[in-house]
Amino acid sequence: MWWVIAVVAAVVVVATYLTWLAARVDRLHARAAAAYATLDAHLVRRAAAAVALAEAAQLPTLMYAAKIALDAQPDDREVAENDLTRHLRGGLKAPPSDVVDSLVQISRRVALARQVHNDVVRDALAVRRRALVRLFRLARKHPIPAYFDVDDPSLS
């Protein structure tokens, strides 16, 4: 009779652990989605500030790069943001103004949001690689999160 109690206790412990693990997988993927949304919002703000700077400083190549970054599809986003960063580094030779200062602050926020996003993605991918998560397919309803690898967008 004692072995029945031991088997039931073992099943309860395993079920509790799997439930906790499934909730953790869900939380990490929700955090990854929220981090990407935050990063996207900061990237849009940076591109809009770059358009304002390009209009004020009469820089057509910067304006073109910023508009491409605003209109980029998710697959082409990293390339467009790298191009915008290159143009911003080359186009910030103007004397400091309110537009340049706000662009520098927004770029720092983009760098921080990118770092947070990549950290959360790393954690989500690590939990997806665990044997029990793969065996019980606990992450099957979530798309695989991806890193956002761009050149460091912070400007000095």
Side-chain angles (χ1 to χ4, degrees), residues 14-24:
V14 169
T16 302
Y17 179 70
L18 286 176
T19 302
W20 173 82
L21 190 58
R24 183 165 185 236

Side-chain angles (χ1 to χ4, degrees), residues 26-111:
D26 290 342
R27 281 192 314 269
L28 282 172
H29 283 85
R31 284 180 56 201
Y36 182 77
T38 302
L39 176 62
D40 184 53
H42 285 299
L43 289 171
V44 168
R45 284 188 197 108
R46 182 178 80 145
V51 167
L53 175 66
E55 287 176 353
Q58 298 295 321
L59 299 169
T61 57
L62 178 61
M63 184 176 297
Y64 181 69
K67 292 201 184 252
I68 287 175
L70 280 173
D71 297 335
Q73 298 297 320
D75 295 338
D76 302 328
R77 191 76 186 264
E78 292 176 5
V79 174
E81 294 298 334
N82 275 331
D83 190 43
L84 178 59
T85 300
R86 248 187 329 275
H87 281 88
L88 283 173
R89 285 198 179 124
L92 287 182
K93 307 290 187 222
S97 67
D98 292 339
V99 176
V100 173
D101 290 341
S102 70
L103 186 61
V104 169
Q105 289 176 356
I106 292 169
S107 293
R108 288 180 184 153
R109 288 186 189 124
V110 167

Side-chain angles (χ1 to χ4, degrees), residues 117-132:
H117 173 264
N118 286 342
D119 288 347
V120 171
V121 167
R122 182 196 62 225
D123 294 343
L125 292 176
V127 80
R128 286 178 78 98
R129 284 190 293 266
R130 295 179 84 173
L132 287 176

